Structure formats: structure tokens, C-alpha cells
Amino acid sequence: MQIGIVGLPNVGKTTLFNALTRGHAKVERYPFTTIEPNIGVVEVPDERLAKLKELIEAEEVTPATIKFLDIAGLVEGASKGEGLGNRFLAKIREVEAIVHIVRCFSDSNVAHIAPDLAPTRDIEIVNLELALADLEIIEKRREKIKKDPEAREELKLLEGVVESLSKGELPELNEKEREALKGYHLLSLKPTLYVANSGEGEEIPKELKKYRVIGICAKLESELQELPEKERAQFRVEMGIEEMGLERLIRESYRLLGLITFFTLERKKLRAWTLKEGRNVREAAGRIHSDMEKGFIKAEVINYSDLIRIGSLSQAREKGLLRIEGRDCKVREGDIITIKFHLTR
Ligand SMILES: Nc1nc2c(ncn2[C@@H]2O[C@H](COP(=O)(O)OP(=O)(O)O)[C@@H](O)[C@H]2O)c(=O)[nH]1
Ligand SMILES: [Mg+2]
């Protein structure tokens, strides 16, 4: 899964990215320092992994991961080539979701597009640039197919999208239309999570409540990530922080995309995987290896909570609690799955 981080310059994108990846991407007080996106792979925190590891004496544990792309700040006119323009936008066409960082901290040392804090205005500037970039793509396509009698339906669909985007609205699409538009990788249609980057201890501004939004203090998060694990844990206890902003961000991204986690266990190797909710065990097999999907025979399944309750895999097997499932069985959050398959080549 890939997630693109967008937002105006100097809103804290790279700071948050660094905190997420514990990386050291360049953080600057001036716009346009990032030409190539910073790309970081982040492990999805999951307490269940430690418990499972102990229970089944796993020797190797691989958490699920999310890839984050941090692109440079968009400015007004980016879609028309201002700043580094459209080149940035091209970098995030392929992501599955967008995290849109909004500046909610005031700091006179850090330049902003205007002296005042106006989160809604900022959001609208960025979203307009995304929409304009999309409109350009659609325009090109319309030009190409406008005389093709076989493309009438597509043309009609595109016209509807143009009409909404031009009004600054999102088009209302059904499943089929969404599918038909997939190939365009339209930025405006990507599921988006807004992140209010606030000063320490500050609330999310009320005007942002209409968005799907979480509040984070990027600076604090990145400073905490610099601490050794032990000190960080201690700080959390002292400050009564139950969940780090970063963990919340990852959890919310999961929800936004309708993702669940399943586990595999093979020869003492424990691994967590992400899957779209509602998919079946055969599709889960495909996440692991295409051979497993093609040659799928059956799956042995037990849910995490049942395994923890029973205490061991062998006991679960004895009690008949390892279910044998065919391809159509839906995967549930926390299922531990062993795929039986034959090689088709
Ligand atoms: N006061 C304050 N400064 C921040 C915060 N987050 C980022 N900054 C500062 O803002 C500047 C720009 O941050 P950066 O992450 O590079 O912004 P980007 O352009 O969106 O990638 C840096 O000097 C950061 O230290 C915050 O929550 N509070
Ligand atoms: Mg940056």
C-alpha cells in the first residue's frame, strides 16, 4: 500500500515523514527543497505480533508495511507549472490514498503563504491544484476520443467528472464508474485523510471538523522518535499518551482504505499482511504469492483471539478449531491463515 503526503510548503510534511520513517529527509524552512519525493517504508505497529511470537515461538517476525511518499509542497498554480509544478503531482498518481497535511501551528520563523492561519483556505488551494491537474488529464483524453463512436459512454462519464471538478466538487460515482476511471489515477478521487498539524497540546480547529481529520503535532512526534525506545515509553507514561500520533495516523489510514490485517505462519516465520476488507482466502493467498492463488486448494484458518484463548496451535488443532476453508471464505481481521496449494507449472 502506498500513501502520498501532500500539502502546502512548510506545513510539516517532511517533519511528519521523518517521524514516520525515523529517517532523516531534509527539513527546510524554505519551499521547494524536495525535488524527488522522499520514499519511506513504515512498519505497521501491531501489538498482536509480539503476543503471537511468544505463543508460537516464532523466530522471524515481519510486520505489515505502508509506503509513504513525501512530495514537495504544492503552491497555487502548481498544476500550471508554478514552483516545480506538475512534476510533483505526477509522483503521486499511483498512490492509493492521500494524507493531506494542514498547517495549524503558528510560528513566525516558519514562512507560510500568508501571515494568518486559515486551514480551510489552505486545503482549498491544494485541492484546487489537484483538481486542475486532473482536469488537464481528462481534457487530453476527451480530445482523443471525442470522435470515437465506441467511446460515447466514457466521454459522457468524463464530462460529468469535469462538470463537478470545475465547480470544486467531487463527482458522485457508482462502483462501475469508479472502476472505469481507475486508469486515470485521478488525484481528486483518492481517499484522503486530513492531518491538522497543530502546536503541542492544541485542539483541531473547529472548521476542520467537516473533514476526515486527525490532529498531530509533527514536531513533537519527530522529536519523540529521536529518543531511545525506553525514554520514549517513559515519556508516554508520564504524559499519559496512550497512542502516538503516528500510530493513529497509520490506524486511520487503514480505516480509510478499508484494510484489515491477516497473519501467516510458516516454519516459525510469522508475518502480517494487509488486505482489503471483504476479500476471500484465495485473494489473501494472492497477496502472498501468485502461485498460491493460482494453485489454491484450501486454507487452514484460526482467528487471533481464538488462538490466544486456547493457548497453542496444537491444542487448537486437537479441538478442531482450525477451520478448513474453501476459496470463498471471507478473511476476517486477525485471521491466521495457512494456505494449501499445488504448483500449477
Ligand atoms: N513550530 C512548529 N514548527 C514546525 C512544526 N512542524 C514542522 N515545523 C517546522 O516547519 C518547517 C518546515 O517543515 P517541513 O516538514 O520541512 O515542511 P514541508 O515543507 O511541509 O515538508 C521546519 O522548520 C519545521 O521544523 C510544528 O508542529 N510546529
Ligand atoms: Mg518537505
Side-chain angles (χ1 to χ4, degrees), residues 10-206:
N10 279 342
V11 297
K13 296 183 299 300
T14 303
T15 306
L16 188 72
F17 173 87
N18 276 337
L20 275 167
T21 57
R22 288 176 209 170
H24 293 277
K26 203 168 164 196
V27 180
E28 288 285 345
R29 278 190 286 141
Y30 304 97
F32 311 131
T33 46
T34 348
I35 295 173
E36 281 304 308
N38 297 311
I39 299 176
V41 175
V42 176
E43 292 182 353
V44 176
D46 192 332
E47 287 172 359
R48 293 171 298 184
L49 282 174
K51 298 214 176 98
L52 279 176
K53 179 177 186 227
E54 202 177 311
L55 191 112
I56 59 187
E57 292 165 5
E59 282 156 12
E60 210 178 296
V61 180
T62 314
T65 55
I66 305 181
K67 198 186 252 181
F68 281 93
L69 277 76
D70 163 36
I71 64 159
L74 289 170
V75 286
E76 218 163 344
S79 61
K80 292 277 163 286
E82 285 294 320
L84 289 169
N86 241 333
R87 279 202 280 148
F88 290 144
L89 296 176
K91 306 270 186 217
I92 52 165
R93 288 252 164 241
E94 311 277 319
V95 302
E96 281 130 285
I98 286 179
V99 165
H100 184 155
I101 319 257
V102 190
R103 174 142 164 181
C104 299
F105 67 88
S106 21
D107 185 338
S108 54
N109 291 318
V110 181
H112 191 43
I113 51 161
D116 60 325
L117 275 184
T120 307
R121 170 202 63 199
D122 292 2
I123 286 177
E124 282 168 3
I125 291 176
V126 170
N127 285 349
L128 177 65
E129 290 309 320
L130 300 182
L132 288 171
D134 286 344
L135 284 171
E136 202 180 308
I137 286 183
I138 296 174
E139 237 14 271
K140 278 192 192 135
R141 177 73 183 159
R142 271 169 85 190
E143 217 31 62
K144 211 170 184 174
I145 61 171
K146 70 178 178 197
K147 295 209 178 87
D148 180 354
E150 274 172 32
R152 283 241 290 283
E153 211 171 308
E154 187 184 348
L155 206 55
K156 203 169 140 231
L157 174 61
L158 291 180
E159 271 155 16
V161 176
V162 168
E163 197 185 316
S164 306
L165 289 183
S166 312
K167 282 192 289 194
E169 291 166 8
L170 286 181
E172 274 178 41
L173 302 165
N174 60 35
E175 200 57 38
K176 202 175 142 222
E177 292 168 329
R178 266 182 193 279
E179 201 54 42
L181 289 169
K182 247 195 182 143
Y184 294 101
H185 302 292
L186 298 178
L187 299 168
S188 314
L189 298 187
K190 293 192 192 286
T192 301
L193 177 68
Y194 291 88
V195 173
N197 184 14
S198 315
E200 234 168 286
E202 280 172 24
E203 300 270 314
I204 300 172
K206 275 207 186 67

